[in-house]
Amino acid sequence: MEEQAQSPFQAAIKPGITMGLIALALTYIAYFVDSTLLATWWFGLGFLVIFFGLIIYFGKQYRTELGGFMSFGTAFNFSFLTMIVSGLVSLVGQLLLFQVIDPDLGSVLADITFENSMKMMESFGGNPDSLSPEMLDEMRKSSSDPYTLSGQLKGFGFGLIAYAIIALILGAILKKRDKSLDY
C-alpha cells in the first residue's frame, strides 16, 4: 500500500516548532550578550532573512515528499501554517522573557527605540525640539507598547497579516507544477 503524504498542516508543525525554537534561541542569545541588540533594525532584518531561508528549505523538503510538485495553494498553506506555529512558539518565549524573566527589559528597549526615532528624525532634517510634549509622550508610549503583554498579543495578531503576505510570496516561490499533466 502506498504511503500518503502529510497534509500541509501536519507537515508545517515540525518546521514551525523548529523555526520558533531557533528564533527563541537567537533572541535569548542576543538578550544575554547585549539586550540592546533586540532594539536594532539589523537584528530584525537578520531574523527575516533566516525566516525566509528556513521556510524555503522546509518547503522544498515538503515538495520533495509530495513527489517533486506542489500547487500554489498547498505551498501557501504550508508556509502560512509554518509561520503561525513558529509565531506561537516565539510568542510564548517572548512573553516569558518580557513578562517573567526581565520585566524591565521592555522599558529599556522602548527608551532605545525612542532615542533611535529621534536620531532618525534629525538625520532626515527634522527637529525633535519642535514637537509638542503631547507628541513626544505619544511617541514614547508607542515605543513601549510592543513590549507590554497586550502589545505582544496585538503584535502577533497583526503578524498574522504579515504572515499571510509572506506566505503568498513563498507560495509563489515554492510552487512547482507537473508540466507533463498539461497534455
Side-chain angles (χ1 to χ4, degrees):
M1 190 163 138
E2 194 175 301
E3 184 180 319
Q4 271 193 322
Q6 294 178 324
S7 71
F9 178 75
Q10 293 167 325
I13 291 174
K14 185 177 176 187
I17 290 172
T18 302
M19 288 174 47
L21 292 175
I22 289 170
L24 279 181
L26 292 174
T27 299
Y28 278 83
I29 289 169
Y31 169 71
F32 289 120
V33 170
D34 180 7
S35 61
T36 61
L37 289 173
L38 298 172
T40 61
W41 64 270
W42 56 267
F43 189 75
L45 183 62
F47 254 80
L48 192 61
V49 169
I50 292 170
F51 204 63
F52 260 92
L54 285 172
I55 291 178
I56 291 171
Y57 171 76
F58 289 125
K60 285 184 176 182
Q61 279 186 333
Y62 181 53
R63 184 174 69 196
T64 301
E65 180 185 318
L66 293 176
F69 302 102
M70 185 164 46
S71 70
F72 174 79
T74 302
F76 170 80
N77 287 335
F78 172 80
S79 301
F80 187 58
L81 293 168
T82 300
M83 286 187 276
I84 289 173
V85 171
S86 173
L88 286 171
V89 171
S90 295
L91 177 65
V92 169
Q94 289 181 7
L95 287 172
L96 280 172
L97 178 62
F98 288 103
Q99 307 306 320
V100 178
I101 296 171
D102 191 351
D104 295 329
L105 180 61
S107 63
V108 170
L109 295 178
D111 290 342
I112 292 169
T113 303
F114 179 75
E115 290 170 18
N116 289 342
S117 298
M118 293 296 108
K119 288 177 187 173
M120 187 178 293
M121 181 185 281
E122 288 175 353
S123 72
F124 286 120
N127 182 5
D129 295 332
S130 66
L131 296 175
S132 69
E134 293 83 20
M135 282 183 102
L136 289 172
D137 288 342
E138 182 61 33
M139 286 177 69
R140 191 172 298 280
K141 182 184 177 310
S142 67
S143 296
S144 64
D145 280 348
Y147 305 109
T148 63
L149 177 62
S150 63
Q152 287 178 303
L153 295 174
K154 274 193 257 180
F156 179 74
F158 287 119
L160 291 175
I161 297 167
Y163 294 164
I165 294 168
I166 293 170
L168 287 170
I169 296 166
L170 291 168
I173 292 170
L174 292 171
K175 74 174 170 73
K176 185 175 184 182
R177 68 185 175 95
D178 187 355
K179 294 181 183 180
S180 68
L181 300 176
D182 289 348
Y183 300 105

